[in-house]
Amino acid sequence: ALSQLLVGCPQAPGCCAPSTVACVQPPPPPVCEAALARLQRFGRPGTSFGGQVHSLIWHAFAGTCFNATAREWLFETINASLPMSIAESTPQEYSYTNMWLMSTVNSILFGEIVGGERGRIAANVGYEMWEEFYNYTMHAGLHEFTSPTYTYVQLTALYPGYIYAARPGARAQFGHILDMIWADTAANTFAPRGELSGPHSRDYDTLLGHGMLLI
């Protein structure tokens, strides 16, 4: 759905990227309707992989692309996924880096979108998870380090938090972890072969070390 909206935007490349500035002009109505229909096929997003696009679409496209009924549906879908505790956000613990980060950022952004008491609780759950992860990682490093597959998932989870998290100081902390991940990736990239060198974790291609990070 997010790809449909980005590709369908009529402006020059780059103007539609999810950011604090939405498109000057929305995608054409058929593109918006097709993206909404795709979202509605999957129902409640949850706080893992299924929820990553919802906050991005809300911030970048809901106000310009969706009518009031569609916005209300998207809002209620996000509201239905609000966690009231860390256990509701994820069954994992903070060393399971990619899963923890997705649940952390989705909890923060979903809570801040919904607002009110339930939104505040959900956002606080996410920020509590973030503090656990941040303190652990700044002392011990990344648990899922230099992973050809899951470094990519970490990045796609972190950037929405870096762009949209509203709590003072959160953006700087997200930036610290992003810098750490990119420094780790750069230091362990063997440019002549376009592959990760040295030891790395969670490698599904044990012969060549290929994964989404290198696509």
Side-chain angles (χ1 to χ4, degrees):
L2 180 60
S3 297
Q4 284 180 301
L5 293 169
L6 291 171
V7 172
C9 275
Q11 288 82 24
C15 79
C16 299
S19 68
T20 53
V21 181
C23 296
V24 176
Q25 297 293 326
V31 174
C32 299
E33 292 164 6
L36 179 65
R38 187 175 294 274
L39 282 175
Q40 290 175 330
R41 286 176 57 192
F42 297 99
R44 179 175 173 174
T47 56
S48 183
F49 286 97
Q52 286 191 287
V53 303
H54 287 70
S55 59
L56 299 178
I57 289 175
W58 177 267
H59 282 291
F61 295 105
T64 58
C65 192
F66 295 165
N67 62 28
T69 301
R71 286 195 300 273
E72 182 179 359
W73 175 85
L74 182 58
F75 182 90
E76 290 304 324
T77 301
I78 292 171
N79 184 37
S81 292
L82 292 181
M84 296 292 102
S85 66
I86 291 178
E88 287 185 25
S89 182
T90 181
Q92 313 301 337
E93 47 90 25
Y94 53 74
S95 66
Y96 199 156
T97 311
N98 79 94
M99 294 295 290
W100 187 267
L101 286 177
M102 281 189 289
S103 297
T104 295
V105 174
N106 287 341
S107 297
I108 290 171
L109 299 187
F110 285 3
E112 291 179 341
I113 287 169
V114 171
E117 182 63 14
R118 291 185 70 250
R120 183 190 64 79
I121 292 172
N124 285 344
V125 166
Y127 282 116
E128 182 181 346
M129 294 172 67
W130 175 249
E131 287 300 320
E132 286 192 43
F133 172 81
Y134 184 81
N135 292 333
Y136 168 82
T137 302
M138 294 305 287
H139 285 90
L142 290 164
H143 193 83
E144 289 179 358
F145 61 94
T146 326
S147 170
T149 298
Y150 289 104
T151 296
Y152 173 88
V153 183
Q154 293 167 27
L155 292 169
T156 60
L158 285 165
Y159 273 112
Y162 178 73
I163 294 168
Y164 293 121
R167 180 170 293 184
R171 189 172 185 270
Q173 289 188 337
F174 278 110
H176 293 162
I177 301 299
L178 284 165
D179 287 345
M180 177 183 290
I181 292 174
W182 281 118
D184 175 73
T185 300
N188 290 282
T189 298
F190 184 60
R193 289 181 59 85
E195 297 174 358
L196 293 177
S197 60
H200 41 268
S201 66
R202 302 206 67 188
D203 186 347
Y204 293 158
D205 182 356
T206 55
L207 178 62
L208 299 175
H210 289 161
M212 292 185 293
L213 179 64
L214 302 173
I215 292 175

